[in-house]
């Protein structure tokens, strides 16, 4: 991770992924794995697909990574104890699940949600969906179409809104919390 001008660079060579751990999102899994495969091949990314991860492996993988990519139901807190994220080094995160970036209002108290736990654990940014979506998060479409390894996360999220078939229902769901970042090759 480096900072230049107003952007923080996140090097994607140290990434870890968790895709469809419940093994019940075949269509989304196929789409996301087609998108991730060139990166997995190029950078030798490790990750888990279609099975529930061991908690210790997950904790170590998150600590050793600069970027975490999740595609499944919700934010993945079913497999990752999100409160323990506050106590460890957290990578930046792309949470491609329904309502993965939704914050829960607690009245007079601060809102809660997985995003808060990642940020308090040191994540530079977290990208996720504010509500349930009917297709895979569109953010991956814009980064895939651009073929640019120096993609600004906020810009990719913005572009994805226009690429998405359901621009206002699905395209408006992804948001980015944290600092302006650029995903880069090392």
């Amino acid at each position: 991770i480096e900072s230049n001008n107003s952007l923080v660079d996140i090097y994607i060579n140290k990434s870890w992924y968790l895709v469809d751990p419940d093994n019940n999102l075949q269509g989304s899994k196929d789409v996301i794995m087609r998108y991730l495969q060139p990166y997995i091949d190029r950078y030798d990314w490790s990750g888990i697909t279609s099975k529930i991860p061991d908690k210790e492996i997950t904790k170590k993988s998150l600590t050793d990574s600069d970027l975490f990519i999740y595609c499944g139901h919700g934010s993945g807190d079913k497999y990752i104890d999100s409160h323990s994220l506050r106590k460890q080094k957290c990578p930046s995160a792309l949470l491609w699940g329904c309502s993965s970036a939704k914050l829960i209002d607690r009245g007079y108290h601060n809102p809660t949600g997985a995003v808060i736990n990642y940020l308090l654990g040191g994540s530079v940014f977290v990208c996720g969906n504010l509500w349930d979506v009917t297709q895979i998060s569109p953010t991956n479409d814009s980064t895939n179409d651009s073929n640019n390894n120096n993609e600004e996360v906020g810009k990719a999220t913005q572009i994805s809104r226009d690429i998405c078939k359901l621009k206002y229902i699905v395209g408006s769901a992804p948001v980015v919390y944290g600092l302006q970042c650029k995903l880069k090759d090392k």
Side-chain angles (χ1 to χ4, degrees), residues 35 39 96 138-148 151 156 183:
Y35 169 72
Y39 296 97
W96 290 331
T139 305
N140 65 40
D141 293 336
S142 66
T143 54
N144 195 24
D145 289 347
S146 71
N147 285 324
N148 182 352
E151 188 68 53
L183 300 179

Side-chain angles (χ1 to χ4, degrees), residues 163-182:
I163 293 172
C164 189
K165 291 177 189 167
L166 299 171
K167 171 191 294 201
Y168 299 107
I169 296 173
V170 177
S172 296
V175 294
V176 180
Y177 294 91
L179 301 177
Q180 277 290 353
C181 297
K182 185 182 275 196

